[in-house]
Structures are given as structure tokens and as C-alpha cells.
Amino acid sequence: VGPVAWLTLNRPDAMNAINMAMIESFDRALLEIHSNAEVKVVVVTGAGRAFCAGVDLKEFLHSKEVAPGEPDLIDRLTRVLDSLRGFSKPVIAALNGITMAGGLETAMCADIVIASRTAKIGDGHANFGVYPGAGGAAVLPKIIPLNVAKYLLFTGETLSADEMNTYGFVNRVVEPEELRDAVQRLGESIAEKSPIALSRMKTVANAAND
């Protein structure tokens, strides 16, 4: 693994739509990385042509049949994303393609976002009459201008990586073939810094923005 751990959302045939199995694997991986002192930086990316197209709607509707008081898919996803947002180590999102809905909410948990120039980024919940249950409507206006956040939330449309770079959501845009190497170099550079200092700075920065 080395100092930079890569977590890949790996349901490429489903555009990496989030299901319960993915959430459970993600949760286990974060626990393992948290306890691995050799890992200094975490990268989240997607397999295939998408970073993540959001929650698997069929599984989401099925999960609503759980017993009263039992957590459904969105409850479990929210808990995992809260863990990712507050993770003790720096988190980089490497957006390799379509980033929508729950995928956008996942990317919003990262400390740094690097995107392929071909990535398309949006919210998309409005297209299905669904509220962004994992925090999208609350967090997005903290990252980009309010009117841009509302545009994405209300229209369900996507913007390019270059546009989202202009609005401050994406830190850097690279060519598709350069994404992995560029993110790996960035991760290795950050990994050379004091992990204690990084963790404390992240904690304070997150708290100041809350």
C-alpha cells in the first residue's frame, strides 16, 4: 500500500452506484486505514468511466422496507460519509468521470479534489424527485457560491471539471491519462509532512467551517 492508500469504488457496470455491500466494504477499509500507521493519505476514486453516479436506487427503495428503527441504506451511507469527512488523515478525491448525487456527496467529504478534464459533476437528485439525504444541500453551498449550488441542486444538470475548478470545488484539473500519477504524486508529497500536524490542522479547519 505504501503511504498513499487508494480506495476504488468498483461497480463499473453500474457506474459505481452505491449499494449496501459497497458501504460495508468502504467502512471496513476506513477502519483498517485508520489503524495502519504506514498510510498517511487516502485517495478515493472510481473504476471505469464514472467516479460514482449516486446511490443504487433499486437497492435504496428495497432498503426502505427495513423494520422501524433499523437504519436503511441512506442512514448507513451518511454514517460512512461522516467518518470520511472527519477522517484523521488527509483525503483526496480523484474524480475520473461522472460524479453525481451520492457521488458528489462523497467527493464533498474529501479535503482535496483532483479531477480528470472529462469529469462531469452535478447533484442530480432533482431529476428523481429525491432529497439529497447524505448532506448535499447543506454542504455544497459551503464549498461553492450559493447561486451555483442552487443551480446544480435545482436543475439536476452537470458542470465540467474546468467549471467546477473555477467555482472552487475542484482544486486541480488534469488530463485523464495523468490523473492517477498526478494524484499519487500529490499524496506522496503530503505524506512527507508531519501526520500529527496534518491531523490537527484538518480538525481545526473542519471545526472552523462548521
Side-chain angles (χ1 to χ4, degrees):
V1 174
V4 181
W6 285 72
L7 296 182
T8 302
L9 306 177
N10 193 21
R11 297 184 69 208
D13 293 341
M15 297 182 71
N16 302 320
I18 300 168
N19 61 6
M20 197 69 80
M22 182 184 288
I23 292 171
E24 291 172 355
S25 296
F26 205 119
D27 196 21
R28 286 195 301 271
L30 289 178
L31 288 173
E32 292 173 6
I33 291 170
H34 177 74
S35 61
N36 188 340
E38 293 183 7
V39 176
K40 311 295 184 184
V41 177
V42 181
V43 178
V44 182
T45 194
R49 63 191 181 94
F51 173 74
C52 175
V55 166
D56 186 315
L57 291 179
K58 290 182 180 178
E59 188 155 336
F60 165 65
L61 292 174
H62 177 71
S63 79
K64 300 305 291 184
E65 299 173 7
V66 298
E70 289 293 316
D72 64 11
L73 189 149
I74 296 299
D75 294 326
R76 292 177 184 270
L77 175 60
T78 300
R79 184 174 64 81
V80 172
L81 293 188
D82 283 344
S83 296
L84 183 64
R85 184 178 294 109
F87 201 63
S88 60
K89 303 174 184 184
V91 176
I92 303 172
L95 307 186
N96 54 299
I98 293 291
T99 302
M100 293 284 289
L104 177 64
E105 290 171 315
T106 301
M108 285 192 288
C109 295
D111 303 301
I112 297 170
V113 178
I114 309 298
S116 162
R117 194 170 303 281
T118 57
K120 296 293 184 181
I121 304 165
D123 182 70
H125 285 95
N127 296 332
F128 303 95
V130 178
Y131 178 78
V139 179
L140 191 59
K142 294 184 177 183
I143 303 174
I144 62 177
L146 178 60
N147 65 325
V148 181
K150 287 179 178 178
Y151 178 85
L152 290 174
L153 291 166
F154 296 171
T155 66
E157 295 180 7
T158 61
L159 296 177
S160 70
D162 285 315
E163 288 173 305
M164 291 298 272
N165 176 241
T166 299
Y167 294 130
F169 184 85
V170 172
N171 293 92
R172 183 181 171 197
V173 180
V174 299
E175 298 304 322
E177 64 275 12
E178 298 173 359
L179 180 64
R180 189 172 184 91
D181 286 345
V183 172
Q184 180 68 25
R185 288 194 301 271
L186 175 62
E188 290 175 354
S189 174
I190 293 173
E192 294 176 355
K193 310 300 190 291
S194 163
I196 296 175
L198 292 176
S199 179
R200 289 178 177 173
M201 286 190 287
K202 177 172 178 173
T203 297
V204 172
N206 284 353
N209 192 49
D210 190 348

